[in-house]
Structure formats: C-alpha cells, structure tokens
C-alpha cells in the first residue's frame, strides 16, 4: 500500500476561506467614527430585533443631525452566538480589525461579563446596554465598563417599594435557575426582610430557564398557600406559568409581583390571557406622555411602522449614550471617552439619565405598575416612572461591593 | 400531602405523554435507519408554529384546533420526507455519525427559516376547545387538557404497537430494526422504508409540537430545549423499544414533578432545593440507568449489523514528506505575526484550541471507535481547573497543569464507567456525565461562579499580548499534535485500532481491550483539557457554556466534517468550521441558515469528511 | 512422569437455565496432536469449545493447558498460556494491511505501549516468517479488508500463531469456503502447526475434512462425549453412526 499524504488536499479547501477570513479585508476608513456592537441576536431575537431597530434609528438621527464631533457614526454589528468565548473573539475583531472606538451591546449576563473583562484588559470602553447582573458594575466592575439598563437589584427594589405597602406575610418565590433569577430573589429576600420584619418565604421554585414544568410548579406554589408570589420568570416560561396558573386557579386571592412582566416583549404574546392586577416593572409605551417619549415614539413608528418594545428603547438609548460620550469627550479617543462617561448625562426616551462616576451605572429607571387587559391585550395601568437613582444602595455600600 | 403527591404524579404523566410522542419518532427513526436525528427537536418546533398558522387559517374553533393538529403533523411529515429524499438518502453509506452532522445543519436551517417566517416573538397558541377547563381532585384543580394528555400517551403507545405488530409495514420496520442485512436479504425496499419511517417519525414530532401548544407558546427555543430530553428518553427506555420510551418518559417526568412538589426541604440542617435538581434530573437518571443497564430499561443488546456496519478507513503511516510539510506549515504559522493583523492571530488561536479539541475527540472516535457526545466535559474541566488555579494565584504553568490534571482525572473516572458500554449507549453516557458536570458548574456559585462563571483569567506578562499567546497556543498545539500523530503508528495506536476493528480478535491476541479503551479515554480527556486550559486564558473568562452541549456538538461537527479517521481531518474540520462561522456571522444576518446549508453541502460532497473523502478519491485513483 | 498434555479437559459440565448443554465431558489433546470435536447440531460441541477457549466458565470440571489449570481464565490469560484461536467468522483487522495484522499479533508479546516508535514487529523477522509460512508474503501490503475469504483465513491463521502457541483452537475453520479451498486451508494449518509444534483442536461440519486431517476425533451427542478414537475407529463405531444417521441433519 502506498504511503499517504493526509490532509494536504483538505487543507486546500480551507485555503479560500482562510484568505477571506484571516486577511484584513478593508482598511479602516478615516471619516466616520466606528462603534462596535455585539449581541446574541439569534439566541434572543424577541428582545434583540426591536433593540436593533432602536439603535439603527438612533444612528440615523445622530447622523442626520451632522454626527458627533463633526464625524458620522457608523455601527459595526456582530452576533456573539450567545457564547462568552465567541463574544470575546468578536470583540477582538471589532477592536483590532474594524478599528471601532468603543464597544456596546450585550444581553446575556455571562456574555456581558466576559466582554467587560476583555474591555478592561484591552483598555476599550464598553457600554453594556442590557445585561442586568449586579456584578457587572459592582463585584466584577472595572474602569472601562459602563451599564445603561436598571440592574436586577434596582428593578427588584422598585417592586419591593410596592410590596411592603401591602404587608403580605407569606411569599412564594419562582425564578429561573441562573444568576439573574438567583440574585433577583436574593435581593428581594434581603430587602423585604429589612423593610418588613416577620416576612416568610414559604415556597421557592427554581425551574431551569426555558424549561419550566408549569403545571407542577404552579401546583407546588398553591400547596404552600402563599399570600403573595414574587415571580422572576420571563419569556416562554412566564407564558406557561400564567396559563397553567390561571387554569388551576392558583392566582385567585393571591397577589403577584412579576419582574419585567410588563415589558411588551413578554406581556404582548399573552394577548387577552395577560394576567390582571399583577405588580410589574415594564414599559407602557402607549400611555407615556412626555415630550421626549412622544418624539421617540413618533420617530420609531415612522421609521419602522411598528410600535417600540423595551428593547427598542434600550438600543436607542445605548447609541445615544455613545454619541453623548464622544461629544462630551470631543474625540473618540478611549481615555477621553472613559473620562467623559463618568457623570455623563444623556437624554433618553425615559428622560435624562446619568452614568454615575461612582459605579458606572446609569440612572435609567423603569416603569412600575399593574397589569390589566384592555381591548384583548395586556397593558399596564396605575403606573409611574421610578427613577433609577432612587433604587441604588447607599454609596458606601456600593464602594464595598465594587473593587476600587 | 398525599393529594399533592397524586396531583404531581398526574402532572408528570401529562408531561410524559408529550415527551413520549416526540421520543417515539426519534426511536423509530434510529431503530430503522441508525440515524441520530438531531433535527427532531426542530420538527417538534415546526409542528407548533405550523399549528398556530393553520389554526388561524381555518378560523379557529374546534375545527381550527384539531385541523391544525392534523395539518401540522402532515406538514412536518412532508418536511421529514423531503429531508430524507434530498439529504439523508445520499449519505447512508457514510459513517453513521456523519448523518448527525447533516441533521445538525438542518437544525440551523430550520431555526432561521422559522425566525424568517414567523418572526422573533413567542406565539401563544389557542387552547383546545372544550378542554380549557379543569377538574377538581381532592380540592386541587387539574386542567382537562392534562387529563387528555395523560390518556393520549398510552393510546399512542397502543396505536404504534398495533402498527408495528399487526401490519405488513410494521413487520418491515421491525425486520429492519432487528437486522438490516436480513431485511435486505428478504427483499425489503430499504429506500422506501427509510423514507416512510422518516416521514412518520417527523410527523409524530410535528404532532407533539401541535399538541404542546395549549401548554407552551411556540418559541424559537423549543427545538434545543427538547432534543436532549428526547435523546435521554429514547436511550433510557432502550433504543428501539417503544414501551421502554414511554416508561422512561414517565419516570423522568414524574421524578421532575416530584422534585418540584418537594420544593425546598431541610435535610438534617442542610437546605436542599429539589426544584434545582430538575436542571439535570433526566441526566442523572440516564447515567444511573446506563451504568446499571447499558442497553436501557427495556432494550436488548443491539444485533450485530451484517454487512451494513461501517468499515473503518485505513490509517496509513504518513510519508516522510508529510512531516516536512507539517514542519513548513508550522514555520509559516509562527511567522504569521510578521504580516497578519491581531485578529487573525486571535482567530488562529481559537483554531489551534479547537484543532486540539477535535483531535482529542478523534482519538476516541477514529482510533478507538467510541463516539463521545459529551467531550465538552474534559474541555470544560481543563478550563475550570486552569481558571480556578489562576484565580487562586497559581503561576501560569501550574494553572495549565491543574486544568490538565482535573480533565485527566475526570476522564479516568468517567471513562472507567463508559468503556464498558459501546455505540450509542457509550455516547449518551458521556453526554450524561458532561451534563452533570455542567450542572455542578452552573450551581456551585461559591467555587465556579455559577451561571455567570469566572472573569479576569488573563495570561501573565510575557503571554499577555495576542501575538505571544498565539505563538504559545500554536506551538503547544503543534507539539501535542505531532506527538499524537507519532502515537497513531506506535504500538499503542495499532493496538487501539485493533480493538476497534475487532475486539474479540484483539482479546484473543492477548490485548486487554478494556484497558486500551480506557487509556484512550484518558489520553483524549487530557488533550481536551489542555485545549480548555489554553482556551480560558485566551478569552479571559469562562462560564458553564464551556461544558455545555453546543460545545460538544461543535467538536463532533469539526471531527466529522474533517474526517474522523484521518490525522489531519480534525484540524481541517476545526479550521473550516471556525472560519466558516466567523466569516458568515460577519457577512449575513441569516448566518445560521447559510452555515446550516454549508454544513449539509459539505457532508454531501465529502461523506467521509473532507480529508477522508480526498483520501478515498486518491486511493481509487491509485487502483486505476 | 510423562510430559503434560497440550490440553486436558476433566469432567466439564455446563447448564443454561436448567438445560444441560455439557455434562461430564473429559478428553485430552497430546502435544502436537491434531484433533477434532464433532457432533450434530445441539450436541454441545460449541459450548465445550467455548468452555475451553475461555468465553464461558464451566459449572464444574477443569481445563488444563500444558498441565496448568486455566479453568475460568479469560481469553487473554489463555493467550499468555500458549493457547491461540481462530474464529468461525474470520476475525482480522480489516482497516490494516496483512503485514500490520500479523505484526500486531507478534507485537502483543512485548507491546511497548509507552513507545512512540513504530512497532518493531512491523519489519521483524518473526512477522516475515509467519507471512512466509502461510504464503502471504506477496500480499503483505494489501488491506485485509480487501482480501478474498480464503486469504483472510490464512491471515487469521498467521495471527493466531504469532504467540508460538502449544495449542491452536479452530472454530469451524472451513465454514463458508469452497470445497477445494477447505482442503488447502486445513492442509496448510496442519503443516504449519506441525512445524511449530502446536497441537490443534477444531470443530467442523465437513466430515471429509475431519476424517482426513484429525488423528483423533471426539464425538459429542446430547451434551456428552460418546466416542473417542482414530478416524477409522470412529468411522466403524456403531454408536457414532446412530448419532449421525439417526438425525435428519446428518451430513
């Protein structure tokens, strides 16, 4: 038998791909300021498609108004494949090949943390738009990472505000079994115990994300005979939970608090089966009557012929933050932008927010209200805007949690 | 308390019926065609989406709902049929697991197509008219639809039983399941049988998807959230055993329901959250069952396949020129930092890592004939071991060694149990252990950082630049692979391939086949661990996804795409897959669909992997 | 004291769930002797064979190889004790060349698993000698998977002889072969074994092969050994005639 030469022919197949991928395919243009954006578009499309429309609108507005510091803004967007490893590689590509001035994006907490760590090592500014984990700006905070969205802690705190008013004693907790759910519940417990001594947590259900056995979970909660339920599940899990719980009558006479439950992404699919009277954080887009929101709403509808979801606001505000930071810095240079981010004020559809110098968290708030069904769809009623700054712990506590 | 237990049992039975319906199709397809149909979850998802649309089209109501159920089943059956005719039929002669890669391509394709057609938002389907209420049992309410499902499971079991036992078609299916060669000898038209089985199996999955709608919204995560469970049910029940699948579905679903019912319990002062156990309950059952009964609860030893069995490709000794070429290639790589940009180096660092991972898997699959569906376990163990050591302040070399040791130890432990089984049982056992490890990493906040993982694991000073780290990764990979290639034609390599080719002959020629297979497992785990350790320092962070199923699937795809019975195949596979994914994600929004189509095309053109197929073409050329 | 037999079987019994497959069977194979174990289907010869080659463990009785008790030892231990075997369905390594097949058999004597060198046996004289003995030198570089069945049988024979056995067990060695090939194979096996001092015990359906090549024959029926003797003695034995002619399946 002839000896062989394995692989050399096979390698040739890869060669064409290699030239496409390994060699820089274009020289970075000098004119526009490039912004790197990465997110888990294929994994979380329900939130991120509106999100993308949001930032695209923002970029168009910014450029129509002449750009920033006299230059146009250009976003280079990438899918991070919902994987921290891929995200870090994509971030590297954006920084070293696309020559972006800074990074923004992120939805999943573990991906956001990985990109934040990369940003810190490579000394690139990263404005995390959506990842909610408290660690991003506290325990794992770093000088180059900033966050727009109200964190898990802040949103829990907003609901606790309402919960203590009711004085319910027996609470059941249900949350997706990963860091977001766990830390939401931990914060909820701690805040409730501090504000309402004697509160009891009579049941705790932690279904795997996306795989809730809703019948069994609702039954187990009912068996514990709670006065109130604190729910952190969202997406398909929430829809299953609502339908099973309603059919089994477990919500009768029980007050329910649901984190993110009023966001159109999660409320709209329920249509006329949306729960009634739940306390939620969310986004009553059709009822907010502030000039800044009216303007955003009109522009969004005109551009996309669709109504905005919360993701749209986050994407929009993220790119507005980027533009504001560069404008304040007067240049896209990293250290200048980083300095500008501290205390940066940005006008968003939710009003003016500030990126705190203390922990790089923005003061963007959320709407807290109750759910209702109107014209065959879920809406928020009795809502009000809760500013983010009201729901952050005292500065000393933050300093203790954040590496200095 | 007893009433609660009863209701939870009923809840479990209702879930079990749906799980069984999906598993049923998978089991039939595997039994007859030996195809590990990764796209089965996608069929389930499609069933749900189709039912939504058909119901709207029919105007809702009773007719709309049940019309949609039937229509969705038929439509998905048609899709299964098309998949068989256009893709699978062309690669039946390829190694069995290549079809897994092709169906993985189908998964990506269907996912993007679904997103394109139905949009990103979850769609809550209609409830079954007349079954929207609930009945009262001991003062607790059970949805009527759950009662319907509880009865549906056994009814479907009986129907399929009748189909297999009492019809001519069923006889053919059983003949093909039990002995392919015999079925062919009996003059059964294999092509038509396979087509019909694929259609029926897909249709059952579509039916289950449509029937799941009253309980679960149609969402884009349905495919992957069910596929692992369905594999587990099929294997726990015993491959090809329909009653076994039902039994397994019931056991797993009821255990989960009980865990949920138990909630959080104080056991001797320790708080145990049984609800968190549902994260891996099915894999704990799988591991237990396979260790005790390698062929599943009601399965029997798979019959020796006459004629149809895969004949392993020869692994000729590399020519002298090969080493020269490899050396030149390495020199070229090491010279790359002189003219390539930083991103190219980062991408090649990833490719070096994945080449190591894929090569480690090829030791098991190619040399030893053992497929592992859970190879991420050792990769992840290497990554966690290295990261934990580094965060504890260990020097770089010690950290990498720690990862290597942890991965090797785990491979020794898992391998000890796994090598006693073979085939799909072995593959699923490795998957079960990988999932258990994943769950531990996911839950053990204090040590592993839980679902968020660990951050700030960057290499020290001299290796901190992307260039030096690239050189380190490339050199380490090259040296390891070089040694591995030598090993392929060392006494160990020959002995290993001897045990793969014919274990009885190897045993009769004095080889300890179990010890050899175990050694291969440990070696493979060690190299995967090394890959993981290099990986974590190149990324600076890690999370449980290094241990998760997609990582194992990626490794499988790379190995099979490149050619698992060749030396260079895993490297070519890692190169092609990584570059393709990287290039496509930057080029098009629908990169998943394009990647899926590319993978399918590659399997059709290169049924023995890229390198393996070239080898065959060359060998054929030589003979002529 | 005389030299121990190549194989001695003493009072071997084995039942499967109440079915007495083998009952109190005793016989021996002398050094260098060629023997055959025959009997109609279901007589227990396959069970006996598997008890001897280590695939089954007897309920009672002993198996001695060259005077050493090997009862219940696994095939690997038997191989170390100088017992080699061939299989009814030829067992070789189809993805490897003929030379590699034989070399692997030779390599097993001293495997050197820690070495990164190619096995010394690939170019060793022992391998060459075995290839020459079975007449495969010219085919040494062909893949085993591409050979004709008769050639494959010779490959397996060479592999089996690699550990210089004192006893070669052959399970239906000529099954699936044409008549002319059967003769050639058994002639070769006997000649090579004789030259290497290995005794043979084989089972076989083809009576002409049995009577031509075996110097002694063991006849089994209904789980018991009913006759032992030279081919002539067996041919004349009325009991054997009854065992075979009484059955429809007689050859």
């Amino acid at each position: 038998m002839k000896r062989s030469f394995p692989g050399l022919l096979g390698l040739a197949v890869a060669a064409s791909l290699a030239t496409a991928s390994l060699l820089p395919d274009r020289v970075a243009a000098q004119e526009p300021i490039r912004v790197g954006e990465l997110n888990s578009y294929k994994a979380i499309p329900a939130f991120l498609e509106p999100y993308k429309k949001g930032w695209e609108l923002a970029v168009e507005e910014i450029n129509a108004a002449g750009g920033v510091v006299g230059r146009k803004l250009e976003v280079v967007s990438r899918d991070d494949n919902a994987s921290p490893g891929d995200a870090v590689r994509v971030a590297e590509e954006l920084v070293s090949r696309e020559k972006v001035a800074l990074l923004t994006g992120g939805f999943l907490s573990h991906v956001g943390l990985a990109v934040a760590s990369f940003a810190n090592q490579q000394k690139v500014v990263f404005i995390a738009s959506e990842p909610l984990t408290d660690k991003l700006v506290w325990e794992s905070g770093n000088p180059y990472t900033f966050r727009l969205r109200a964190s898990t802690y802040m949103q829990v705190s907003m609901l606790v505000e309402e919960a203590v008013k009711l004085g319910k004693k027996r609470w059941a907790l249900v949350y997706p079994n990963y860091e977001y759910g766990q830390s939401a519940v931990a914060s909820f417990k701690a805040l409730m115990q501090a504000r309402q001594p004697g509160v009891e947590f009579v049941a705790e259900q932690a279904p795997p994300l996306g795989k809730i056995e809703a019948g069994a979970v609702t039954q187990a909660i009912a068996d514990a005979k709670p006065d109130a339920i604190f729910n952190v599940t969202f997406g398909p899990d929430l829809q299953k939970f609502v339908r099973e719980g309603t059919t089994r009558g477990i919500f009768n006479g029980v007050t329910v608090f649901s984190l993110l439950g009023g966001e159109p992404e999660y409320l709209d699919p329920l249509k006329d089966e949306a729960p009634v009277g739940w306390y939620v954080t969310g986004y009553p887009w059709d009822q907010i009557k502030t000039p800044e929101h009216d303007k955003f709403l009109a522009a969004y509808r005109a551009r996309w012929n669709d109504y905005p979801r919360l993701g749209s606001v986050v994407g929009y505000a993220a790119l507005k933050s980027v533009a504001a930071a560069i404008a304040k810095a007067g240049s896209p240079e990293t250290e200048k932008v980083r300095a500008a981010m501290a205390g940066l004020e940005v006008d968003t559809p939710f009003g003016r927010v500030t990126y705190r110098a203390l922990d790089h968290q923005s003061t963007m708030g959320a709407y807290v209200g109750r759910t209702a069904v109107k014209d065959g769809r879920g809406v928020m009623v009795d809502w009000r805007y809760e500013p983010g700054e009201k729901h952050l712990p005292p500065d000393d506590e933050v300093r203790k949690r954040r590496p200095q | 308390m007893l009433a609660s237990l009863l209701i939870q049992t009923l809840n479990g039975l209702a879930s079990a019926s749906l799980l069984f319906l999906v598993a049923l199709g998978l089991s039939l397809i595997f039994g007859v065609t030996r195809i590990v149909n990764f796209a089965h979850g996608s069929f389930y998802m499609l069933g749900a989406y189709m039912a939504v649309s058909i119901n709207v089209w029919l105007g809702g109501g009773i007719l709309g709902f049940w019309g949609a159920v039937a229509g969705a089943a038929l439509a998905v059956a048609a899709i299964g049929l098309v998949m068989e005719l256009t893709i699978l039929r062309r690669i039946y002669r390829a190694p069995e697991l290549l079809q897994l890669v092709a169906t993985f391509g189908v998964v990506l394709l269907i996912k993007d197509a679904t997103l394109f057609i139905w949009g990103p938002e979850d769609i809550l389907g209609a409830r079954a008219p007349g079954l929207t209420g609930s009945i009262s049992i001991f003062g607790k309410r059970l949805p009527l639809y759950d009662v319907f499902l509880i009865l549906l499971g056994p009814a479907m079991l009986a129907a399929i039983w009748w189909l297999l036992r009492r019809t001519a078609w069923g006889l053919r299916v059983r003949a093909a399941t039990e002995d392919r060669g015999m079925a062919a000898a009996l003059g059964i038209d294999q092509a038509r049988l396979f087509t019909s089985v694929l259609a029926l199996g897909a249709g059952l999955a579509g039916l289950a998807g449509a029937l799941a709608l009253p309980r679960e919204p149609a969402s884009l995560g349905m495919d992957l959230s069910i596929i692992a469970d369905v594999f587990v049910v099929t294997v726990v029940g015993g491959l090809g055993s329909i009653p076994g699948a039902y039994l397994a579905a019931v056991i797993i679903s009821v255990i989960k329901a009980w865990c949920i019912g138990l909630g959080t319990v104080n056991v001797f002062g320790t708080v145990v959250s049984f609800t968190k156990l549902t994260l891996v309950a099915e894999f704990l059952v799988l591991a237990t069952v396979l260790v005790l009964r390698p062929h599943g609860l009601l399965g029997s030893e798979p019959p020796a396949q006459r004629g149809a069995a895969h004949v392993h490709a020869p692994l000729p000794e590399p020519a002298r020129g090969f080493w020269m070429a490899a050396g030149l290639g390495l020199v070229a790589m090491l010279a790359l930092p002189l003219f390539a940009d930083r991103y190219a180096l980062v991408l090649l660092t990833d490719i070096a890592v994945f080449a190591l991972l894929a090569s480690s898997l090829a030791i098991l699959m190619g040399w030893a004939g053992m497929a592992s569906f859970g190879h991420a376990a050792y990769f992840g163990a290497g990554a966690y071991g290295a990261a934990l050591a580094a965060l504890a302040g260990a020097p770089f070399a010690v950290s990498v060694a720690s990862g290597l040791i942890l991965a090797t130890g785990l491979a020794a432990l898992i391998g000890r149990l796994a090598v006693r089984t073979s085939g799909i049982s072995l593959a699923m056992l490795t998957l079960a252990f990988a999932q258990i490890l994943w769950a531990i990493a996911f839950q053990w906040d204090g040590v592993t950082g839980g679902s968020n993982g660990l951050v700030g694991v960057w290499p020290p000073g001299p290796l901190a630049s992307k260039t030096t780290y690239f050189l380190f990764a490339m050199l380490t990979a090259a040296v390891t692979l070089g040694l591995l290639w030598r090993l392929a034609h060392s006494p160990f390599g020959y002995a290993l391939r001897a045990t793969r080719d014919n274990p009885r002959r190897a045993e009769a020629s004095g080889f300890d086949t179990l010890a050899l297979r175990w050694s291969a497992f440990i070696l493979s785990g060690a190299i995967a661990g090394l890959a993981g350790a290099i990986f974590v320092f190149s990324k600076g962070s890690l999370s449980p996804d290094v241990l998760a199923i997609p990582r194992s699937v990626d490794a499988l795809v790379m190995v099979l795409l490149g050619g698992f019975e060749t030396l260079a195949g895993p490297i070519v596979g890692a190169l092609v897959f990584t570059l393709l994914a990287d290039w496509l994600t930057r080029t098009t929004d629908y990169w998943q669909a394009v990647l899926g189509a590319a993978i399918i095309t590659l399997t059709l053109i290169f049924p023995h992997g890229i390198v393996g197929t070239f080898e065959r073409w060359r060998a054929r050329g030589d003979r002529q | 004291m005389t030299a121990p037999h190549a194989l001695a079987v003493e009072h071997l019994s084995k039942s499967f769930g109440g079915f007495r497959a083998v009952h109190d069977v005793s016989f021996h194979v002398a050094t260098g002797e060629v023997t055959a174990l025959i009997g109609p289907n279901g007589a227990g010869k396959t069970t006996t064979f598997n008890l001897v080659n280590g695939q089954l463990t007897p309920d009672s009785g002993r198996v001695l190889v060259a005077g050493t008790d090997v009862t219940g030892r696994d095939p690997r231990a038997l191989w170390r004790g100088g017992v080699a075997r061939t299989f009814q369905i030829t067992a070789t390594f189809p993805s490897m060349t003929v030379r590699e097949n034989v070399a692997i058999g030779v390599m097993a004597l001293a495997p050197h698993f820690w070495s990164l060198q190619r096995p010394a046996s690939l170019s060793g004289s022992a391998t060459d000698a075995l290839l020459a003995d079975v007449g495969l030198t010219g085919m040494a570089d062909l893949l085993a998977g591409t050979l004709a069945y008769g050639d494959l049988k010779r490959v397996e024979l060479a592999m089996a002889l690699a550990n210089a056995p004192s006893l070669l067990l052959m399970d239906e060695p000529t099954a699936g072969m044409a008549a002319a090939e059967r003769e050639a194979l058994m002639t070769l096996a006997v000649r090579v074994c004789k030259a290497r001092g290995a005794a043979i015990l084989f089972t076989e359906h083809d009576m002409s092969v049995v009577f031509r090549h075996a110097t002694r024959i063991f006849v089994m029926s209904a789980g018991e050994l009913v006759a032992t003797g030279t081919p002539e003695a067996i041919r004349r034995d009325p009991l054997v005639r009854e065992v075979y002619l009484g059955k429809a399946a007689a050859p």
Side-chain angles (χ1 to χ4, degrees), chain B residues 404-449:
Chain B
L404 194 63
I405 291 166
L406 183 62
T408 312
L410 273 169
L413 218 62
I414 295 171
R416 191 76 194 85
L417 296 165
V419 296
R420 294 182 309 157
T421 62
S422 63
I424 206 82
S425 297
L426 189 153
M428 289 299 289
L429 194 57
T430 58
L431 174 64
F433 284 119
Q435 283 298 93
I436 291 167
L437 281 180
W438 170 81
I440 291 171
F442 201 87
Q443 291 288 329
W444 200 3
D445 285 8
V447 174
T448 62

Side-chain angles (χ1 to χ4, degrees), chain A residues 23-298:
Chain A
L23 299 175
D25 46 3
R26 66 184 123 153
V27 181
Q30 195 51 51
E31 305 311 327
I33 297 172
R34 296 159 79 91
V35 175
E37 197 280 338
L38 68 168
N39 234 318
S40 313
Y41 287 103
K42 287 294 162 182
I44 322 283
F47 189 93
L48 292 175
E49 289 214 345
Y51 166 89
K52 188 170 189 185
K53 288 179 176 166
W55 67 249
E56 283 180 351
L57 175 66
V59 172
E60 286 164 15
E61 285 182 8
I62 292 161
N63 286 338
V68 259
V69 294
R71 291 163 70 182
K72 299 257 189 245
L73 216 53
E74 182 185 333
V75 174
V76 186
S77 175
R78 296 279 185 263
D79 196 318
D80 62 25
N81 202 14
S83 143
D86 286 6
V88 168
R89 193 177 75 216
V90 165
E92 176 66 48
E93 191 247 345
L94 289 170
V95 170
S96 65
R97 186 164 289 178
E98 299 295 344
K99 313 280 187 226
V100 300
L102 52 77
L103 296 169
T104 183
F107 178 94
L108 300 164
S109 288
H110 64 300
V111 178
L113 285 167
V115 175
S117 178
F118 168 85
N120 189 39
Q121 199 227 13
Q122 292 295 312
K123 308 211 182 322
V124 185
V125 171
F126 172 44
I127 302 176
S129 47
E130 172 68 17
L132 294 182
T133 179
D134 299 329
K135 291 199 176 81
L136 192 67
V137 293
W138 293 345
E139 285 83 353
S140 300
N142 68 54
Y144 289 87
T145 301
F146 301 82
R147 191 232 322 264
L148 169 65
R149 191 79 210 273
S151 66
T152 309
Y153 176 90
M154 292 159 76
Q155 303 213 32
V156 170
S157 165
M158 293 172 195
L159 283 184
V160 166
E161 192 86 22
E162 295 298 311
V164 290
K165 287 183 198 158
L166 302 181
K168 300 283 183 189
K169 189 156 184 276
R170 295 169 61 83
W171 283 83
L173 310 167
V174 52
Y175 57 98
N177 186 11
Y178 75 109
E179 198 265 351
Y180 163 64
Q182 291 154 3
S183 65
V185 160
S187 300
F188 183 78
K189 280 183 175 172
L191 290 171
M192 284 300 284
Q193 275 161 344
R195 310 253 321 247
Q196 185 190 316
V199 65
E200 277 181 60
F201 303 103
V202 293
E204 213 172 290
Q205 288 288 332
L209 177 64
K211 297 182 75 172
I212 191 172
E213 291 284 341
V217 167
T218 47
Q219 190 58 54
I221 288 175
D223 286 348
K225 300 193 171 42
D227 304 325
I229 297 171
F230 178 63
N231 166 61
V232 193
T233 66
F234 61 95
D237 284 340
L238 175 64
Q239 293 156 31
K240 287 192 249 182
F241 182 68
V242 169
R243 201 175 246 194
E244 281 288 338
T246 308
T247 311
R248 291 168 192 251
I250 74 151
F251 302 135
N252 298 344
V254 176
T255 311
V256 183
F257 281 69
S258 187
L259 206 60
L260 312 186
E263 297 184 2
E265 283 86 340
Y266 309 127
L267 192 57
D268 291 357
L270 285 163
K271 287 180 253 171
D272 59 339
E273 291 179 51
V276 174
W278 285 21
Y279 291 82
V280 293
T281 60
Y283 172 39
W285 62 272
D286 50 343
Q287 304 167 57
I288 301 172
K289 299 283 181 257
T290 60
E292 57 267 25
H293 189 267
D294 284 346
K295 190 170 150 268
F296 165 73
L297 182 62

Side-chain angles (χ1 to χ4, degrees), chain C residues 21-129:
Chain C
V22 171
H23 180 64
D24 196 24
V25 167
S26 300
F27 62 84
H28 74 266
V29 178
T31 306
E33 193 183 17
V34 178
T35 56
L37 181 63
I38 64 168
N41 284 331
K45 62 181 189 308
T46 301
T47 304
T48 306
F49 200 75
N50 285 338
L51 289 170
V52 171
N53 69 30
Q55 262 174 273
L56 290 175
T57 307
D59 298 337
S60 60
R62 298 200 304 163
V63 178
L64 296 106
V65 170
T68 312
D69 188 345
V70 297
T71 317
R73 298 255 187 101
D74 59 25
R76 230 176 330 125
L78 283 172
W79 177 88
R80 278 197 297 272
V83 180
R85 69 167 298 186
T86 63
F87 292 83
Q88 184 178 346
I89 298 171
T90 322
T92 58
F93 308 130
S95 77
M96 293 183 240
T97 63
V98 170
R99 172 179 293 280
E100 286 171 331
N101 267 275
V102 177
I104 284 173
V106 174
M107 185 184 86
L109 292 167
H112 301 293
F113 280 147
W114 60 90
S115 158
L116 281 176
Q117 302 301 314
R118 62 201 296 269
S121 58
L122 273 177
S123 45
S125 57
T127 305
D128 288 339

Side-chain angles (χ1 to χ4, degrees), chain B residues 243-325:
Chain B
Y246 182 67
L247 185 64
V250 167
I251 289 175
I252 287 169
S253 299
V254 170
I255 284 181
K256 278 192 185 180
W258 284 350
C259 281
I260 292 165
L262 280 172
T264 309
V265 178
N266 200 324
V267 184
F268 305 114
T270 342
V271 177
V272 179
S273 172
F274 281 93
T275 73
K276 290 187 176 173
L277 212 57
T278 56
L279 190 64
V280 321
E282 57 269 49
F283 290 99
L284 290 171
V285 171
L286 176 64
T288 313
V289 167
L290 286 187
V291 166
L292 298 176
R293 287 184 64 92
H295 303 297
L297 292 173
L298 299 185
S300 45
E301 181 130 15
Q305 293 290 334
R306 291 181 209 176
H310 171 64
V311 177
H312 297 279
L315 190 66
E317 291 182 68
R320 204 150 295 175
F322 172 81
W323 291 104
M324 189 85 87

Side-chain angles (χ1 to χ4, degrees), chain B residues 280-585:
Chain B
V280 321
E282 57 269 49
F283 290 99
L284 290 171
V285 171
L286 176 64
T288 313
V289 167
L290 286 187
V291 166
L292 298 176
R293 287 184 64 92
H295 303 297
L297 292 173
L298 299 185
S300 45
E301 181 130 15
Q305 293 290 334
R306 291 181 209 176
H310 171 64
V311 177
H312 297 279
L315 190 66
E317 291 182 68
R320 204 150 295 175
F322 172 81
W323 291 104
M324 189 85 87
L328 283 175
L330 178 62
V331 170
M333 280 291 163
L334 296 181
L336 212 54
L338 295 176
F339 47 88
D341 72 344
R342 206 171 68 181
Y343 180 60
L345 301 184
V346 166
L347 194 56
L348 281 166
T349 305
D350 268 17
I351 290 171
V353 166
F354 293 139
L356 269 184
L357 174 63
S359 297
S360 78
L361 182 55
I363 299 172
L364 279 191
M365 290 176 64
W367 304 8
M370 299 187 282
S372 162
F373 287 177
H375 221 54
Y378 320 108
F379 182 80
Y384 270 100
L388 288 171
L391 291 175
F396 180 75
V398 175
S399 304
V400 173
S402 306
L404 194 63
I405 291 166
L406 183 62
T408 312
L410 273 169
L413 218 62
I414 295 171
R416 191 76 194 85
L417 296 165
V419 296
R420 294 182 309 157
T421 62
S422 63
I424 206 82
S425 297
L426 189 153
M428 289 299 289
L429 194 57
T430 58
L431 174 64
F433 284 119
Q435 283 298 93
I436 291 167
L437 281 180
W438 170 81
I440 291 171
F442 201 87
Q443 291 288 329
W444 200 3
D445 285 8
V447 174
T448 62
S451 64
N452 269 350
L454 303 166
V455 294
V457 194
W458 295 103
L463 288 172
S465 103
K466 301 293 173 195
T467 309
T468 48
Y469 201 77
F470 158 77
L471 292 174
F472 162 74
M474 196 51 78
L475 263 179
T476 311
V479 169
T480 311
L481 292 175
L483 290 175
L484 210 57
W485 289 352
R486 288 299 301 242
L487 197 65
H489 294 94
S490 77
F492 177 74
Y494 275 107
L496 206 53
R497 281 177 286 134
T499 66
R500 171 200 71 185
D501 271 16
N502 199 321
R504 286 206 306 169
R505 178 72 257 169
E507 196 76 17
S509 284
F511 291 107
D512 187 339
T513 52
L514 272 189
L516 278 165
R517 283 155 65 93
W518 191 28
S519 310
F521 215 98
I522 295 170
L523 175 69
S524 173
I527 293 174
L530 178 63
I534 299 175
F535 179 78
V536 68
F537 280 108
S538 77
K539 300 298 181 187
S541 61
L542 86 169
S543 70
D545 83 323
V546 294
L547 289 158
I549 295 176
R551 177 78 52 198
S552 296
V553 172
D554 282 358
L556 271 172
V557 170
M558 288 174 196
V559 171
L560 289 160
L561 219 48
F564 72 114
E565 287 174 343
T566 63
L567 294 181
I571 299 168
V572 171
L575 195 67
V576 169
F577 185 74
T578 310
L579 292 183
L580 204 56
D582 172 73
W583 177 56
L584 288 174
T585 47

